Amino acid sequence: MRNVVIARLSGGGHNSLSSLSDVAPFLNFTRIAGFTLAEVLITLAIIGVVAALTFPMLLAKYQKQVTVSGLQKSYSVVTNMIRKAEAKHGVISEWAGWSADLPWYIKTRNTQDILENYLAPEAIGTKVYASNSMSGNFYVRFMCDTEDNGADNDAQYKRMDGGEVITSSNEIIQSMRLADGACVGFKPIDGNVAFVYIDINGAKKPNVVGKDFFEFILTYEGKLLPRGYELSDEDLKNDKNCPISSYYIGDCSAAKIMRAGWRITSDYNWR
């Protein structure tokens, strides 16, 4: 049919077609429907609402994955450092500066030496920082920090509810920065070697307990245990025996993550 139309258009004679009206019956015109401006705007509005509802959930899921990955990596590095140091120097309970018969304040004086000569050499790129320094009644140089912040009662970290984590007058923390920027602080205690604080991304935000800051206990058996490791599942869920005070961070977040198989579950207090 198309060839016939072309022939009649291009030729003369009594069978030729001289106008569009003559051609129209031979052509199949299809009308292409479009969207009105109102329809486009409504569609964009729906997409915006869906994005606004889903983006925060996707972001939180990503942040949780980053947190777990960072914590797992830092924990692995520190435990490997301890294991290698014990292979060279014997069990921690027999280390000259951290022996089991020493009180916390004597172990505190020896901690920088322990970090520099026992632990840091076991991980390439590790840097040791001196203990925090005192301003008034508070120690105001924090983990992996070389400068005093110049303010009493100041806090480097916050809790998920926005409350500050206060560093009290006996909270002398010596620390080391790992090659990937994570910071690990040590606060000697009686009964065990020390509280160990792991900041998985160092000075980077959010600096929030349970998001990038976690608490552990280093035992005389050389084990790095999360705070609250001894609690039942129910007590751990309810934060029982995870006291919050000026003397203890009191956070069991690492125990919750590790107990769940290195996952942040739906009942984790993520804000």
Side-chain angles (χ1 to χ4, degrees):
M1 178 63 73
R2 181 173 177 273
N3 291 334
V4 173
V5 172
I6 294 174
R8 290 185 178 181
L9 283 173
S10 60
H14 69 280
N15 288 327
S16 64
L17 302 177
S18 59
S19 68
L20 183 60
S21 62
D22 296 326
V23 179
F26 297 95
L27 301 178
N28 182 20
F29 289 102
T30 302
R31 180 177 180 271
I32 301 176
F35 293 103
T36 65
L37 178 60
E39 290 172 330
V40 172
L41 292 177
I42 291 173
T43 302
L44 292 176
I46 293 173
I47 293 173
V49 171
V50 173
L53 293 175
T54 59
F55 180 75
M57 292 186 292
L58 293 175
L59 179 60
K61 181 178 180 180
Y62 170 75
Q63 291 173 333
K64 291 176 182 178
Q65 291 173 341
V66 170
T67 292
V68 172
S69 177
L71 178 61
Q72 194 168 17
K73 180 180 179 181
S74 297
Y75 179 80
S76 177
V77 171
V78 176
T79 52
N80 283 336
M81 294 170 74
I82 295 169
R83 187 176 66 253
K84 291 179 180 179
E86 285 193 312
K88 290 182 179 179
H89 307 286
V91 295
I92 288 182
S93 60
E94 297 176 358
W95 292 1
W98 274 358
S99 60
D101 60 330
L102 296 176
W104 70 267
Y105 55 90
I106 299 296
K107 290 188 293 185
T108 297
R109 298 172 188 173
N110 301 327
T111 296
Q112 185 173 343
D113 177 71
I114 292 290
L115 299 186
E116 290 177 343
N117 297 298
Y118 287 67
L119 296 179
E122 304 307 327
I124 297 175
T126 300
K127 179 180 178 181
V128 175
Y129 288 78
S131 64
N132 48 13
S133 60
M134 194 170 188
S135 175
N137 292 323
F138 290 85
Y139 288 89
V140 294
R141 178 181 296 169
F142 297 100
M143 292 174 16
C144 298
D145 187 14
T146 58
E147 300 293 334
D148 292 341
N149 61 32
D152 288 352
N153 206 21
D154 200 0
Q156 184 183 22
Y157 297 95
K158 294 185 180 297
R159 304 186 189 282
M160 288 195 202
D161 61 4
E164 292 184 342
V165 177
I166 303 300
T167 304
S168 68
S169 57
N170 74 339
E171 191 89 6
I172 305 174
I173 302 174
Q174 287 145 323
S175 56
M176 56 185 183
R177 188 184 302 279
L178 306 181
D180 66 352
C183 184
V184 185
F186 294 81
K187 177 187 178 297
I189 57 177
D190 291 326
N192 282 298
V193 179
F195 285 133
V196 178
Y197 306 128
I198 296 181
D199 183 337
I200 63 175
N201 57 6
K204 295 180 181 179
K205 294 184 182 302
N207 289 334
V208 172
V209 175
K211 285 190 172 182
D212 59 349
F213 181 92
F214 299 91
E215 185 175 5
F216 293 81
I217 296 174
L218 178 58
T219 72
Y220 282 119
E221 291 75 31
K223 297 179 180 179
L224 187 62
L225 303 175
R227 182 71 179 271
Y229 70 93
E230 77 286 357
L231 300 179
S232 67
D233 290 344
E234 187 65 24
D235 287 344
L236 186 59
K237 179 180 178 180
N238 297 323
D239 290 323
K240 184 177 180 180
N241 294 331
C242 293
I244 296 176
S245 72
S246 61
Y247 289 89
Y248 300 101
I249 304 299
D251 177 69
C252 296
S253 298
K256 294 177 182 178
I257 292 173
M258 295 172 68
R259 185 80 60 86
W262 291 103
R263 293 183 303 111
I264 292 179
T265 58
S266 59
D267 59 356
Y268 188 91
N269 188 28
W270 185 278
R271 300 181 185 180

